[in-house]
Amino acid sequence: QDMSLHDKICQMLILSPEQLTGSARVTAADETMKQALQKLPVGGILYNTANFINKQQVREMLSETQRCSRIPLILTCDEEGGRVNRLMQTVGTTYIGPMFGFKDMGTETAYQNAHTIAADMHALGFNTDLAPVADVWSNPDNTVIGDRAYSDSFSQAAELIPAAVRGFHDGGVATALKHFPGHGDTFADSHDGAVTVTKSLEELRKNELLPFQAGIDAGSDMVMIGHLTLTEIDPSQPAPFSARIVTELLRRELGFGGVVITDGLQMKALTNDYSSGEIAVRAVSAGVDLLLCPDEPMEAVASLQEAVTSGAVSIQRIDESVRRILSMKINRGMIKLCS
């Protein structure tokens, strides 16, 4: 109730520590970070390998960063296992190989792998992992997902993903199913440019949506929208801008009531055609809650504020997202409520 419009919009952003502070490399939280969080009281921070030196340094950095923020922060990184890890390769947390290598070892292994990753992260001060990958490696020529997937079978992935969600939760971190509605049968990489999915909605329901539905039913906190253009559903715009995909399909049909987060907004699939301000307004209008690392954060904030002021985006739409974000923080113990 006491949040300004600026506070609310900032809560809808996750930024890198370098974006926040303007520093080339952040490995500690100091007065610069405190002042940055006063200026942009974001919802969370995404860390990468350059931010990590050793375990003690990470613990101190994250602890001090939380102390700099009035509202507790989502502290996260991409820690999937295999080739997508940030902590295993830098500070020596437990190494776990690509999830695809465990596909035939059952749900207990999926649970234990996730629990180990989460417990290691939680011990350092992280409260969220941008995992698990709910995409299915159904196209063997797909390299951007590849062995990051839990399986090349839709039904098998739908069994393993819920176990992973439970493992991450029990280990102490929130989860983000990615990359909705499915990046496993694509050829291109959204880091480099536009990516299209030509399947019909009925085909998606029978295949790609199965592990996402299973992860949602298991209580995943977030779903990450991929920078995918679905030519048979909404050919005019990428999924993060599509109310048909974000609101009608994900929220209404799949029944997801948690936080919808974008994939990284510095990827060329979006930045080749849209400014940070356009991306922010279009995504929020479609029903997205959290904007992950927009290329120009101040522009994104200013454009959303102007959109609310002009009536292009309602304050109720902003409030919906902020409530979801704060509710997730409460549910995962990031915000402690007084009894």
Side-chain angles (χ1 to χ4, degrees):
Q1 288 180 326
D2 65 350
M3 294 173 75
S4 67
L5 176 60
H6 177 76
D7 290 340
K8 291 177 182 180
I9 289 171
C10 287
Q11 191 66 200
M12 296 169 67
L13 269 64
I14 291 181
L15 300 181
S16 73
E18 288 76 19
Q19 285 181 302
L20 264 173
T21 63
S23 304
R25 182 190 181 201
V26 174
T27 57
D30 53 16
E31 186 62 27
T32 302
M33 176 62 75
K34 183 176 181 179
Q35 292 178 7
L37 285 169
Q38 290 173 348
K39 182 180 180 181
L40 280 179
V42 295
I45 300 178
L46 173 70
Y47 292 90
N48 213 320
T49 53
N51 305 120
F52 308 142
I53 300 171
N54 56 57
K55 291 180 180 178
Q56 184 59 29
Q57 168 264 332
V58 174
R59 276 191 289 266
E60 291 176 359
M61 176 178 66
L62 298 189
S63 176
E64 289 301 315
T65 299
Q66 285 289 26
R67 279 194 269 271
C68 290
S69 180
R70 183 174 73 90
I71 298 175
L73 295 157
I74 295 167
L75 298 179
T76 189
C77 65
D78 288 287
E79 195 73 1
E80 300 170 6
R83 58 191 162 102
V84 178
N85 77 79
R86 310 297 184 234
L87 296 163
M88 298 173 194
Q89 64 180 302
T90 54
V91 302
T93 54
T94 308
Y95 180 76
I96 294 176
M99 292 300 107
F100 191 79
F102 301 96
K103 72 184 184 73
D104 296 322
M105 298 183 188
T107 55
E108 182 59 28
T109 298
Y111 173 92
Q112 289 298 339
N113 284 340
H115 189 278
T116 298
I117 293 170
D120 285 352
M121 294 181 74
H122 182 73
L124 296 175
F126 288 97
N127 52 40
T128 303
D129 189 3
L130 297 183
V133 174
D135 306 307
V136 176
W137 194 10
S138 56
N139 177 359
D141 294 326
N142 179 310
T143 57
V144 65
I145 300 300
D147 62 3
R148 298 165 63 191
Y150 278 68
S151 180
D152 51 3
S153 159
F154 297 105
S155 59
Q156 186 180 51
E159 294 176 358
L160 298 175
I161 291 299
V165 169
R166 290 190 291 271
F168 283 119
H169 285 171
D170 290 351
V173 300
T175 54
L177 304 172
K178 59 187 186 185
H179 308 78
F180 188 84
H183 207 323
D185 191 18
T186 60
F187 291 94
D189 184 342
S190 51
H191 290 85
D192 302 323
V195 178
T196 59
V197 174
T198 59
K199 292 188 175 183
S200 68
L201 180 55
E202 192 56 37
E203 288 176 303
L204 293 175
R205 285 175 178 141
K206 291 178 179 178
N207 296 302
E208 275 82 357
L209 297 184
L210 296 179
F212 285 98
Q213 183 70 77
I216 289 167
D217 293 344
S220 183
D221 310 275
M222 298 191 286
V223 171
M224 178 181 286
I225 303 289
H227 300 329
L228 311 167
T229 299
L230 283 83
T231 58
E232 299 303 305
I233 300 174
D234 194 345
S236 64
Q237 55 192 344
F241 302 165
S242 174
R244 291 181 189 174
I245 294 168
V246 176
T247 299
E248 293 179 21
L249 180 58
L250 177 56
R251 291 223 183 272
R252 293 177 187 159
E253 183 170 331
L254 272 65
F256 182 62
V259 172
V260 175
I261 183 173
T262 68
D263 203 348
L265 294 177
Q266 296 168 319
M267 295 183 185
K268 292 181 180 179
L270 296 186
T271 59
N272 279 349
D273 298 307
Y274 305 95
S275 69
S276 291
E278 290 176 305
I279 290 169
V281 173
R282 284 172 175 257
V284 171
S285 296
V288 166
D289 302 308
L290 263 177
L291 305 170
L292 181 63
C293 296
D295 208 24
E296 298 290 342
M298 296 300 291
E299 179 186 327
V301 171
S303 294
L304 280 171
Q305 288 187 243
E306 172 57 31
V308 174
T309 301
S310 69
V313 174
S314 71
I315 187 63
Q316 289 80 15
R317 172 76 277 282
I318 300 296
D319 286 348
E320 286 173 4
S321 288
V322 176
R323 285 194 187 99
R324 289 189 192 111
I325 294 162
L326 295 177
S327 294
M328 184 186 84
K329 290 182 175 184
I330 292 167
N331 292 339
R332 288 290 152 219
M334 303 175 207
I335 294 176
K336 309 292 185 184
L337 295 182
C338 296
S339 58

